[in-house]
PDB file of all heavy atoms in Angstrom:
ATOM      1  N   SER A   2     -13.066  13.614 -26.086  1.00 42.00           N
ATOM      2  CA  SER A   2     -12.166  13.120 -27.120  1.00 42.00           C
ATOM      3  C   SER A   2     -10.741  13.023 -26.586  1.00 42.00           C
ATOM      4  O   SER A   2     -10.423  13.498 -25.504  1.00 42.00           O
ATOM      5  CB  SER A   2     -12.191  14.075 -28.321  1.00 42.00           C
ATOM      6  OG  SER A   2     -11.579  15.304 -27.989  1.00 42.00           O
ATOM      7  N   ALA A   5      -7.981  15.810 -24.992  1.00 50.00           N
ATOM      8  CA  ALA A   5      -7.676  16.144 -23.601  1.00 50.00           C
ATOM      9  C   ALA A   5      -6.270  15.719 -23.215  1.00 50.00           C
ATOM     10  O   ALA A   5      -5.724  16.196 -22.233  1.00 50.00           O
ATOM     11  CB  ALA A   5      -8.693  15.480 -22.663  1.00 50.00           C
ATOM     12  N   LEU A  20      -3.887   1.010 -19.966  1.00 92.00           N
ATOM     13  CA  LEU A  20      -4.927   0.917 -18.944  1.00 92.00           C
ATOM     14  C   LEU A  20      -6.308   1.023 -19.572  1.00 92.00           C
ATOM     15  O   LEU A  20      -7.244   0.320 -19.168  1.00 92.00           O
ATOM     16  CB  LEU A  20      -4.740   2.018 -17.901  1.00 92.00           C
ATOM     17  CG  LEU A  20      -5.747   2.002 -16.748  1.00 92.00           C
ATOM     18  CD1 LEU A  20      -5.659   0.702 -15.973  1.00 92.00           C
ATOM     19  CD2 LEU A  20      -5.532   3.190 -15.817  1.00 92.00           C
ATOM     20  N   SER A  27     -12.402   2.549 -24.941  1.00 85.00           N
ATOM     21  CA  SER A  27     -11.713   2.947 -26.167  1.00 85.00           C
ATOM     22  C   SER A  27     -11.267   4.402 -26.169  1.00 85.00           C
ATOM     23  O   SER A  27     -10.389   4.768 -26.938  1.00 85.00           O
ATOM     24  CB  SER A  27     -12.626   2.713 -27.387  1.00 85.00           C
ATOM     25  OG  SER A  27     -13.844   3.439 -27.251  1.00 85.00           O
ATOM     26  N   THR A  39     -11.446  11.237 -10.187  1.00 93.00           N
ATOM     27  CA  THR A  39     -11.936  10.314  -9.161  1.00 93.00           C
ATOM     28  C   THR A  39     -10.872   9.424  -8.538  1.00 93.00           C
ATOM     29  O   THR A  39     -11.112   8.855  -7.464  1.00 93.00           O
ATOM     30  CB  THR A  39     -13.029   9.390  -9.740  1.00 93.00           C
ATOM     31  OG1 THR A  39     -12.457   8.543 -10.744  1.00 93.00           O
ATOM     32  CG2 THR A  39     -14.151  10.198 -10.360  1.00 93.00           C
ATOM     33  N   SER A  43      -5.619  15.362  -5.681  1.00 90.00           N
ATOM     34  CA  SER A  43      -5.679  16.695  -6.267  1.00 90.00           C
ATOM     35  C   SER A  43      -4.277  17.201  -6.578  1.00 90.00           C
ATOM     36  O   SER A  43      -3.356  17.077  -5.774  1.00 90.00           O
ATOM     37  CB  SER A  43      -6.375  17.656  -5.291  1.00 90.00           C
ATOM     38  OG  SER A  43      -6.385  18.966  -5.792  1.00 90.00           O
ATOM     39  N   LYS A  61      -2.752  -5.685 -13.816  1.00 93.00           N
ATOM     40  CA  LYS A  61      -4.122  -5.869 -14.290  1.00 93.00           C
ATOM     41  C   LYS A  61      -5.156  -5.581 -13.189  1.00 93.00           C
ATOM     42  O   LYS A  61      -6.113  -6.325 -12.989  1.00 93.00           O
ATOM     43  CB  LYS A  61      -4.317  -7.284 -14.847  1.00 93.00           C
ATOM     44  CG  LYS A  61      -3.425  -7.590 -16.038  1.00 93.00           C
ATOM     45  CD  LYS A  61      -3.663  -9.001 -16.573  1.00 93.00           C
ATOM     46  CE  LYS A  61      -2.757  -9.283 -17.766  1.00 93.00           C
ATOM     47  NZ  LYS A  61      -2.949 -10.651 -18.301  1.00 93.00           N
ATOM     48  N   VAL A  83      -2.585  -1.224  -3.010  1.00 93.00           N
ATOM     49  CA  VAL A  83      -3.494  -2.279  -3.436  1.00 93.00           C
ATOM     50  C   VAL A  83      -4.479  -2.567  -2.311  1.00 93.00           C
ATOM     51  O   VAL A  83      -4.069  -2.843  -1.174  1.00 93.00           O
ATOM     52  CB  VAL A  83      -2.714  -3.552  -3.817  1.00 93.00           C
ATOM     53  CG1 VAL A  83      -3.674  -4.638  -4.280  1.00 93.00           C
ATOM     54  CG2 VAL A  83      -1.702  -3.235  -4.912  1.00 93.00           C
ATOM     55  N   GLY A  84      -5.776  -2.516  -2.609  1.00 90.00           N
ATOM     56  CA  GLY A  84      -6.806  -2.843  -1.633  1.00 90.00           C
ATOM     57  C   GLY A  84      -6.974  -4.342  -1.515  1.00 90.00           C
ATOM     58  O   GLY A  84      -6.452  -5.113  -2.331  1.00 90.00           O
ATOM     59  N   PHE A  98      -3.512 -21.752  -7.706  1.00 98.00           N
ATOM     60  CA  PHE A  98      -4.249 -21.489  -6.464  1.00 98.00           C
ATOM     61  C   PHE A  98      -5.263 -22.608  -6.218  1.00 98.00           C
ATOM     62  O   PHE A  98      -6.042 -22.963  -7.097  1.00 98.00           O
ATOM     63  CB  PHE A  98      -4.955 -20.135  -6.557  1.00 98.00           C
ATOM     64  CG  PHE A  98      -5.860 -19.834  -5.397  1.00 98.00           C
ATOM     65  CD1 PHE A  98      -5.375 -19.814  -4.103  1.00 98.00           C
ATOM     66  CD2 PHE A  98      -7.204 -19.570  -5.613  1.00 98.00           C
ATOM     67  CE1 PHE A  98      -6.214 -19.529  -3.031  1.00 98.00           C
ATOM     68  CE2 PHE A  98      -8.044 -19.280  -4.561  1.00 98.00           C
ATOM     69  CZ  PHE A  98      -7.561 -19.265  -3.263  1.00 98.00           C
ATOM     70  N   ASP A  99      -5.242 -23.135  -4.975  1.00 98.00           N
ATOM     71  CA  ASP A  99      -6.100 -24.282  -4.662  1.00 98.00           C
ATOM     72  C   ASP A  99      -6.839 -24.101  -3.328  1.00 98.00           C
ATOM     73  O   ASP A  99      -7.088 -25.072  -2.622  1.00 98.00           O
ATOM     74  CB  ASP A  99      -5.256 -25.558  -4.610  1.00 98.00           C
ATOM     75  CG  ASP A  99      -6.120 -26.816  -4.696  1.00 98.00           C
ATOM     76  OD1 ASP A  99      -7.181 -26.773  -5.353  1.00 98.00           O
ATOM     77  OD2 ASP A  99      -5.731 -27.835  -4.098  1.00 98.00           O
ATOM     78  N   ASN A 109      -8.395 -14.116  20.161  1.00 95.00           N
ATOM     79  CA  ASN A 109      -8.289 -13.169  19.037  1.00 95.00           C
ATOM     80  C   ASN A 109      -6.953 -12.425  19.003  1.00 95.00           C
ATOM     81  O   ASN A 109      -6.865 -11.322  18.451  1.00 95.00           O
ATOM     82  CB  ASN A 109      -9.439 -12.150  19.080  1.00 95.00           C
ATOM     83  CG  ASN A 109     -10.781 -12.803  18.828  1.00 95.00           C
ATOM     84  OD1 ASN A 109     -10.869 -13.834  18.175  1.00 95.00           O
ATOM     85  ND2 ASN A 109     -11.846 -12.198  19.359  1.00 95.00           N
ATOM     86  N   ARG A 128       1.032 -16.052   9.949  1.00 98.00           N
ATOM     87  CA  ARG A 128       0.297 -15.679  11.158  1.00 98.00           C
ATOM     88  C   ARG A 128       0.640 -14.237  11.524  1.00 98.00           C
ATOM     89  O   ARG A 128       1.807 -13.868  11.596  1.00 98.00           O
ATOM     90  CB  ARG A 128       0.661 -16.606  12.326  1.00 98.00           C
ATOM     91  CG  ARG A 128      -0.041 -16.250  13.635  1.00 98.00           C
ATOM     92  CD  ARG A 128       0.355 -17.187  14.758  1.00 98.00           C
ATOM     93  NE  ARG A 128      -0.145 -18.554  14.512  1.00 98.00           N
ATOM     94  CZ  ARG A 128      -0.014 -19.554  15.395  1.00 98.00           C
ATOM     95  NH1 ARG A 128       0.616 -19.333  16.552  1.00 98.00           N
ATOM     96  NH2 ARG A 128      -0.506 -20.742  15.111  1.00 98.00           N
ATOM     97  N   THR A 155      -4.075 -12.187   5.364  1.00 97.00           N
ATOM     98  CA  THR A 155      -4.368 -12.611   3.992  1.00 97.00           C
ATOM     99  C   THR A 155      -3.422 -11.955   3.001  1.00 97.00           C
ATOM    100  O   THR A 155      -2.864 -12.607   2.108  1.00 97.00           O
ATOM    101  CB  THR A 155      -5.821 -12.264   3.635  1.00 97.00           C
ATOM    102  OG1 THR A 155      -6.710 -12.908   4.549  1.00 97.00           O
ATOM    103  CG2 THR A 155      -6.159 -12.700   2.212  1.00 97.00           C
ATOM    104  N   GLN A 157      -0.416 -10.658   3.516  1.00 94.00           N
ATOM    105  CA  GLN A 157       0.956 -11.137   3.652  1.00 94.00           C
ATOM    106  C   GLN A 157       1.103 -12.547   3.073  1.00 94.00           C
ATOM    107  O   GLN A 157       2.126 -12.862   2.445  1.00 94.00           O
ATOM    108  CB  GLN A 157       1.371 -11.115   5.123  1.00 94.00           C
ATOM    109  CG  GLN A 157       1.463  -9.719   5.727  1.00 94.00           C
ATOM    110  CD  GLN A 157       2.398  -8.799   4.955  1.00 94.00           C
ATOM    111  OE1 GLN A 157       3.452  -9.233   4.480  1.00 94.00           O
ATOM    112  NE2 GLN A 157       2.030  -7.544   4.811  1.00 94.00           N
ATOM    113  N   GLY A 166       6.532  -8.338  -5.194  1.00 72.00           N
ATOM    114  CA  GLY A 166       7.326  -7.288  -4.577  1.00 72.00           C
ATOM    115  C   GLY A 166       6.945  -5.934  -5.149  1.00 72.00           C
ATOM    116  O   GLY A 166       6.422  -5.852  -6.255  1.00 72.00           O
ATOM    117  N   LYS A 171      -2.461  -0.215   2.371  1.00 71.00           N
ATOM    118  CA  LYS A 171      -2.598   1.093   3.012  1.00 71.00           C
ATOM    119  C   LYS A 171      -1.989   1.111   4.400  1.00 71.00           C
ATOM    120  O   LYS A 171      -1.330   2.070   4.789  1.00 71.00           O
ATOM    121  CB  LYS A 171      -4.075   1.491   3.063  1.00 71.00           C
ATOM    122  CG  LYS A 171      -4.300   2.899   3.610  1.00 71.00           C
ATOM    123  CD  LYS A 171      -5.780   3.267   3.571  1.00 71.00           C
ATOM    124  CE  LYS A 171      -6.002   4.675   4.115  1.00 71.00           C
ATOM    125  NZ  LYS A 171      -7.444   5.042   4.106  1.00 71.00           N
ATOM    126  N   GLN A 181       8.637   7.491   9.347  1.00 50.00           N
ATOM    127  CA  GLN A 181       9.425   8.570   8.761  1.00 50.00           C
ATOM    128  C   GLN A 181       9.253   9.860   9.545  1.00 50.00           C
ATOM    129  O   GLN A 181      10.213  10.586   9.807  1.00 50.00           O
ATOM    130  CB  GLN A 181       8.999   8.789   7.302  1.00 50.00           C
ATOM    131  CG  GLN A 181       9.407   7.686   6.349  1.00 50.00           C
ATOM    132  CD  GLN A 181      10.896   7.693   6.066  1.00 50.00           C
ATOM    133  OE1 GLN A 181      11.666   7.034   6.767  1.00 50.00           O
ATOM    134  NE2 GLN A 181      11.313   8.421   5.054  1.00 50.00           N
ATOM    135  N   MET A 185      12.130  11.983  11.610  1.00 51.00           N
ATOM    136  CA  MET A 185      12.394  13.405  11.392  1.00 51.00           C
ATOM    137  C   MET A 185      12.276  14.189  12.694  1.00 51.00           C
ATOM    138  O   MET A 185      13.062  15.098  12.965  1.00 51.00           O
ATOM    139  CB  MET A 185      11.431  13.966  10.339  1.00 51.00           C
ATOM    140  CG  MET A 185      11.668  13.433   8.937  1.00 51.00           C
ATOM    141  SD  MET A 185      13.355  13.752   8.342  1.00 51.00           S
ATOM    142  CE  MET A 185      13.410  15.548   8.384  1.00 51.00           C
ATOM    143  N   GLN A 200      27.552  23.660  26.348  1.00 50.00           N
ATOM    144  CA  GLN A 200      28.618  24.421  25.728  1.00 50.00           C
ATOM    145  C   GLN A 200      29.751  24.666  26.723  1.00 50.00           C
ATOM    146  O   GLN A 200      29.502  24.950  27.901  1.00 50.00           O
ATOM    147  CB  GLN A 200      28.112  25.770  25.241  1.00 50.00           C
ATOM    148  CG  GLN A 200      27.357  25.713  23.931  1.00 50.00           C
ATOM    149  CD  GLN A 200      27.043  27.099  23.437  1.00 50.00           C
ATOM    150  OE1 GLN A 200      27.100  28.072  24.180  1.00 50.00           O
ATOM    151  NE2 GLN A 200      26.726  27.209  22.177  1.00 50.00           N
TER     152      GLN A 200
END
Side-chain angles (χ1 to χ4, degrees):
S2 69
L20 182 61
S27 58
T39 65
S43 177
K61 299 181 180 179
V83 181
F98 174 58
D99 197 31
N109 293 334
R128 178 180 293 185
T155 301
Q157 294 304 321
K171 185 177 180 181
Q181 289 288 91
M185 292 302 299
Q200 281 187 343

